[in-house]
Amino acid sequence: MTTIEYKKIVSNTIANINFPLMVGVIVAHCLIYNSGNIIMDNIAKMVMILVVSIIPIFFSISGYLLFIKTDYNFKEILAKRIKTLLIPYLIANIFMILCYAAMHYFTPHLINPDNFNVLKFSFKDFLSAFWSIDGFPICYPLWYIRDLFCFIVCSPLLQMFLKLPKLLKWSILLIIGFIYHYYSISFCMGLFYFYLGALLSQKDIENKIIEIIDSKRILISTCIVSALLMFVAIYFNYTDVNVSLWKPIQRFSGFIFTLFTFILFSKKYGQIGGKIFHSSFFIYLYHAFLVFVLRELLIMVINPTSTIMWIITYILLVLTTIFILVLAFIILNKYLPSFTAIITGGRSNKK
């Protein structure tokens, strides 16, 4: 396998993996908690266990793409990421603030008066809404962009680490992982996988990665081993047996299994396109408030009392959320392409 073929497979894998993983994010955020139905509550618990590898994959892809170019230029990188990450982040949070304001003002009977009542926010509260309210920005899924942008700002330091001898730069990864596991600092989880992606982008291990990807036997064997380890970890996580140990094991094994599965798929089928796949970032930015409203409406309309009705309500919530957001993206991109490009960081311009 040539370097060009390898980079094509990596590019196709990244293109193919974004939308399915974003569906996984929606599946997790649509969960119905405290339903009073034991099976529905167990489904919610299992789904939260199953999706723990999604965000690490996004972090690693971001780290890989940031450092894959040999001509690292921090000013150019920062300017580009302000456009593609920071501006969409700010707009999405402003949108969330406006949505809460509208609901508290026009339909106060449909929302808890203490649920992000932005009409009573102080200036400090508004600032916190863009950074952290109980650990999350007001548009809570965007904690990922917040942390990612912090990693990008610190990328000159990571670039220095990448120039160290192989043993030292990989040791730094282990130190980050130890700090995360021992002190439970969530920020370090993202940093671990972001830095891992950066390491995988380096020339000194590219040939080894090419050898792995070039061998169907190694790919399949790795998928099988990582899948077995992942399922064992899922079992122990679900039964609450030493979760602190098994959760990172499941996260990493699921990370390997998912990536290698998509690599196998991309090797065989190449890149699968379509407007739906281009909507991933838009869905990520704007699903939170929609999920909140639809969940309340569906529960109110369906009034589920049995297990099957709770499951149907949950499935409808997932499908309706995805359908509305994909449709909104397609319409906006068709009639307001410049506006859509701004709110999605230029991603709507993909053909």
Side-chain angles (χ1 to χ4, degrees):
M1 178 185 293
T2 64
T3 301
I4 295 176
E5 290 172 331
Y6 159 71
K7 290 184 177 180
K8 183 65 175 177
I9 291 173
V10 171
S11 176
N12 290 340
T13 300
I14 293 173
N16 291 336
I17 205 172
N18 279 330
F19 186 79
L21 290 189
M22 194 52 61
V23 170
V25 171
I26 300 300
V27 167
H29 290 170
C30 284
L31 287 172
I32 301 172
Y33 297 99
N34 303 318
S35 64
N37 182 280
I38 296 176
I39 295 179
M40 188 67 239
D41 291 343
N42 284 332
I43 289 174
K45 179 181 177 181
M46 177 57 74
V47 170
M48 287 307 298
I49 291 173
L50 291 175
V51 299
V52 297
S53 298
I54 291 179
I55 298 303
I57 292 173
F58 282 131
F59 273 125
S60 66
I61 290 174
S62 297
Y64 178 88
L65 293 176
L66 186 68
F67 292 101
I68 188 64
K69 294 183 178 180
T70 54
D71 54 337
Y72 174 86
N73 186 310
F74 177 66
K75 289 184 178 180
E76 290 182 2
I77 288 172
L78 188 60
K80 182 178 180 181
R81 295 309 190 274
I82 287 174
K83 176 184 176 181
T84 60
L85 291 177
L86 184 58
I87 291 176
Y89 174 86
L90 295 174
I91 294 174
N93 277 297
I94 291 172
F95 173 79
M96 196 73 162
I97 290 172
L98 294 175
C99 286
Y100 275 117
M103 199 162 186
H104 280 290
Y105 186 80
F106 294 107
T107 58
H109 57 288
L110 296 179
I111 189 171
N112 187 322
D114 296 323
N115 184 13
F116 293 119
N117 193 343
V118 297
L119 299 178
K120 298 180 180 180
F121 270 18
S122 65
F123 180 72
K124 182 180 178 181
D125 292 331
F126 278 110
L127 290 180
S128 298
F130 288 92
W131 180 256
S132 177
I133 299 176
D134 296 328
F136 301 91
I138 194 167
C139 188
Y140 64 89
L142 303 193
W143 69 268
Y144 163 78
I145 294 184
R146 178 196 63 192
D147 289 7
L148 176 59
F149 197 79
C150 290
F151 300 154
I152 292 168
V153 171
C154 297
S155 62
L157 178 61
L158 299 181
Q159 173 70 0
M160 290 174 57
F161 291 161
L162 294 175
K163 294 179 179 179
L164 294 173
K166 186 180 295 186
L167 180 61
L168 284 177
K169 63 185 180 182
W170 283 93
S171 296
I172 291 172
L173 181 70
L174 296 178
I175 292 171
I176 295 171
F178 173 79
I179 293 173
Y180 166 66
H181 180 68
Y182 188 80
Y183 294 102
S184 298
I185 302 174
S186 58
F187 186 81
C188 287
M189 184 278 290
L191 182 59
F192 176 89
Y193 284 96
F194 181 82
Y195 184 57
L196 175 60
L199 289 170
L200 295 177
S201 72
Q202 301 304 290
K203 289 291 184 180
D204 58 352
I205 66 166
E206 185 176 275
N207 290 334
K208 293 183 179 179
I209 298 177
I210 290 175
E211 289 178 10
I212 293 173
I213 293 179
D214 197 32
S215 172
K216 186 177 181 180
R217 179 179 61 83
I218 295 177
L219 281 174
I220 293 176
S221 299
T222 304
C223 283
I224 293 173
V225 172
S226 59
L228 290 174
L229 183 58
M230 179 180 67
F231 286 126
V232 170
I234 288 172
Y235 169 77
F236 285 114
N237 284 329
Y238 185 77
T239 55
D240 293 322
V241 178
N242 202 3
V243 173
S244 61
L245 170 65
W246 287 103
K247 191 171 183 178
I249 292 176
Q250 183 205 330
R251 181 180 286 116
F252 189 74
S253 58
F255 168 84
I256 298 297
F257 171 75
T258 305
L259 279 181
F260 277 52
T261 299
F262 273 91
I263 288 172
L264 276 168
F265 177 89
S266 300
K267 278 187 67 177
K268 185 173 182 178
Y269 298 105
Q271 180 179 341
I272 53 177
K275 294 180 180 179
I276 290 180
F277 273 59
H278 298 159
S279 65
S280 298
F281 195 58
F282 179 83
I283 291 174
Y284 166 67
L285 290 171
Y286 294 102
H287 73 271
F289 193 79
L290 180 62
V291 168
F292 168 69
V293 174
L294 285 178
R295 183 191 287 119
E296 299 302 317
L297 286 176
L298 286 173
I299 291 176
M300 182 173 62
V301 172
I302 297 175
N303 190 25
T305 54
S306 63
T307 298
I308 187 65
M309 292 309 297
W310 276 112
I311 294 174
I312 289 174
T313 302
Y314 173 54
I315 293 174
L316 280 176
L317 177 57
V318 173
L319 295 178
T320 305
T321 299
I322 295 172
F323 174 78
I324 291 175
L325 289 169
V326 169
L327 182 62
F329 173 80
I330 292 173
I331 293 173
L332 284 172
N333 200 30
K334 181 177 181 179
Y335 295 104
L336 296 170
S338 298
F339 171 76
T340 311
I342 292 172
I343 66 174
T344 59
R347 291 168 179 81
S348 64
N349 294 327
K350 295 180 179 179
K351 303 297 181 183

